[in-house]
Amino acid sequence: ETVHGLGELLKTGWRPKRTIVIASWDAEEQGLIGSTEWVEQNRQQLADAAAYFNMDVGVAGQNFNASAVPSLKDFMREATKAVMSPKGGTVYDVWRTAKEKEAEPTQAVAQEVSGSQNRMPAAQIKKDVPVGDLGSGSDYTAFLQHLGVPSADITSSGSYGVYHSVFDNFAWFKKFADPTFIYEQQMARVYGVQILRMANADVLPYNYEDYGKEIGVYIEAAQKKAASAFGAKAPSFAAVADAAKRLVSAGAAAMERQRDRTADASKINAALLKAERAFLLPHGLPNRPWFRHAIYAPGQYTGYAAVVIPGVNEAIDAKDLARTQQQIAALATALNRAAETLKSVN
């Protein structure tokens, strides 16, 4: 339905400023085969990809949720403010109210099956609707964790009791999930707004100041875990904490340039496009080199759930002091590389 909307725009003579590629992936349940093969085959073209927007469980109920890299979390919130909800108000209003109710101690929340979108993020640096972290179990994996393309995922979920069964069919959908297809319309609009805003933005709408702040929270948590695991032998986190602060500073300075209407947008965008890629580890994560992202990976045993700063956290979990020290150094290098990339915006 989003594609139909884009098609109507094209008929009026409109053209996007950036290329839009719409894909429907085969073999997701067989190991993300379709999207992974496509990403690996098109890595050169994807070097300039501004974003990948995923929608896996489009509609299985009435509850909107989203996950994204921190640089796109504000972008996701803003997109939902532009779309009206069937429940009244905007999608953002309904989403925020639902999350506030979930946070109430007495509120019982039904378990929903829809990947990583319904999990609370590892860090919440703003008093705003929480946007989840990207783990795996869906087709953003190869884009983000192998090539470093900024990614996001949206869903409208519910009590999805027929998940992966023979009863998960059109008859169930028409009777229980979305009988009037009104939530299908909502999701098509949110998805379309994301695409249009990213395709037409003069300056790419990333927020790397918030990204750095979230990473700083991850590092503080890992330091406490390392102190518990290693005691007096716990390694120093000073260098990586300083690197996270440099990223926050560089992100804030970049944001000032992004807001400057007199600045050279092409030069700013060229630097911003490299920032997420700067988090990639040249040799990948220990024991699984295909996963190259220093900030997010699926847990080795958790599937959907994201592990933040995975090289460091998994080394601590393994009580491997030498590997922990090595991964702290690798993370610091990646953060400093991203900070230097953002400094080139100025």
Side-chain angles (χ1 to χ4, degrees), residues 202-204 251-269 272 345-346:
D202 291 330
V203 177
L204 292 168
M255 184 61 72
E256 290 298 316
R257 293 290 287 167
Q258 287 168 261
R259 292 170 177 157
D260 182 356
R261 294 180 180 273
T262 66
D264 187 331
S266 62
K267 289 183 179 179
I268 294 172
N269 290 335
L272 289 172
V345 168
N346 297 306

Side-chain angles (χ1 to χ4, degrees), residues 100-342:
E100 288 171 349
K101 288 183 178 179
E102 286 181 19
E104 295 173 3
T106 58
Q107 178 73 18
V109 181
Q111 179 64 38
E112 299 178 359
V113 182
S114 60
S116 60
Q117 302 97 331
N118 295 328
R119 300 174 186 271
M120 288 297 291
Q124 182 75 355
I125 61 169
K126 289 182 174 178
K127 291 184 179 180
D128 206 334
V129 62
V131 179
D133 302 322
L134 293 169
S136 188
S138 197
D139 292 298
Y140 54 76
T141 295
F143 289 89
L144 175 63
Q145 292 152 1
H146 189 59
L147 292 190
V149 179
S151 299
D153 191 20
I154 60 173
T155 186
S156 186
S157 59
S159 299
Y160 195 16
V162 299
Y163 183 66
H164 283 186
S165 76
V166 294
F167 302 102
D168 190 352
N169 56 25
F170 186 72
W172 172 84
F173 181 88
K174 191 75 168 60
K175 187 170 183 178
F176 298 106
D178 191 13
T180 61
F181 288 76
I182 197 164
Y183 287 93
E184 291 280 329
Q185 294 174 47
Q186 169 192 286
M187 294 300 285
R189 289 172 180 140
V190 172
Y191 201 53
V193 167
Q194 291 179 143
I195 292 169
L196 289 173
R197 289 187 176 182
M198 186 60 71
N200 288 329
D202 291 330
V203 177
L204 292 168
Y206 305 143
N207 185 336
Y208 278 97
E209 181 180 8
D210 282 0
Y211 210 144
K213 288 178 179 178
E214 288 207 23
I215 293 170
V217 177
Y218 305 159
I219 291 168
E220 289 176 7
Q223 186 171 11
K224 292 176 182 177
K225 187 163 71 169
S228 177
F230 301 116
K233 295 182 179 179
S236 172
F237 280 73
V240 74
D242 287 344
K245 291 175 183 175
R246 289 189 198 100
L247 181 61
V248 172
S249 178
M255 184 61 72
E256 290 298 316
R257 293 290 287 167
Q258 287 168 261
R259 292 170 177 157
D260 182 356
R261 294 180 180 273
T262 66
D264 187 331
S266 62
K267 289 183 179 179
I268 294 172
N269 290 335
L272 289 172
L273 276 173
K274 297 175 183 177
E276 191 79 42
R277 279 84 171 175
F279 293 134
L280 296 179
L281 301 168
H283 302 293
L285 291 170
N287 305 317
R288 44 178 180 158
W290 186 90
F291 290 93
R292 302 167 61 208
H293 205 280
I295 315 302
Y296 297 106
Q300 287 185 281
Y301 308 106
T302 56
Y304 287 136
V307 174
V308 299
I309 52 171
V312 174
N313 275 313
E314 290 178 348
I316 296 170
D317 291 339
K319 291 185 168 54
D320 187 332
L321 180 57
R323 176 156 49 116
T324 301
Q325 292 170 324
Q326 187 272 330
Q327 288 299 305
I328 289 172
L331 176 60
T333 298
L335 296 181
N336 283 323
R337 185 166 56 239
E340 287 301 314
T341 299
L342 290 170

